[in-house]
Amino acid sequence: QLSSLPRALALFLAFLGFASLTHALVVTGRARRRDLGVLRSLGFTRRQVVAVVLATTATILAIGLLVGVPLGLVAGTTGWRLVAGGIHVATDSVYPVPLLLVIVALAVAGSLIAAAVPARAAVRSRWTIFYVRPL
């Protein structure tokens, strides 16, 4: 009965990660709309604005992977030892490196998909640069 628990937990956490990344990108895009407008007025092209959004995505993803994968491995191993010790089964942990690489590749692909909406919104919106009166 416990064999499907790790997969279900992994899918749930992947969904939460994708949703939180998308939310962070949308909020960042809205909060930095004026900054992107300044860059556009300085001569940034649409492609460069998309590159800024993708760089933000890459930064969030890199920090998430560098922190999340090691913490996930430690938490998974600890959690499995607690569960397995309670039901008297083997407490050995195996780290499937090829599967971890696939998960990282899926995270990169998912982050590019998540970045598509904020990037398109950043390129399509009309920015207004407000005149700031000198002091």
Side-chain angles (χ1 to χ4, degrees):
Q1 292 176 354
L2 290 176
S3 64
S4 63
L5 179 65
R7 286 186 184 92
L9 184 61
L11 287 174
F12 178 69
L13 292 176
F15 171 74
L16 282 180
F18 181 77
S20 64
L21 176 66
T22 304
H23 180 264
L25 292 173
V26 168
V27 169
T28 301
R30 286 183 183 169
R32 297 293 177 204
R33 175 182 288 176
R34 200 165 174 184
D35 298 336
L36 293 172
V38 170
L39 292 175
R40 285 292 301 262
S41 69
L42 291 174
F44 264 45
T45 63
R46 290 177 182 252
R47 181 175 284 178
Q48 289 171 324
V49 171
V50 170
V52 168
V53 174
L54 290 178
T56 303
T57 304
T59 302
I60 293 171
L61 178 68
I63 292 170
L65 287 175
L66 289 174
V67 172
V69 170
L71 284 179
L73 292 174
V74 169
T77 301
T78 304
W80 176 247
R81 284 188 183 148
L82 291 173
V83 170
I87 59 173
H88 305 294
V89 296
T91 59
D92 298 341
S93 296
V94 178
Y95 301 118
V97 176
L99 181 60
L100 288 174
L101 293 176
V102 168
I103 290 171
V104 168
L106 288 174
V108 171
S111 69
L112 292 177
I113 291 169
V117 173
R120 185 174 178 159
V123 168
R124 296 186 87 191
S125 70
R126 304 230 180 244
W127 295 289
T128 304
I129 306 301
F130 297 101
Y131 175 72
V132 179
R133 210 172 44 189
L135 297 175

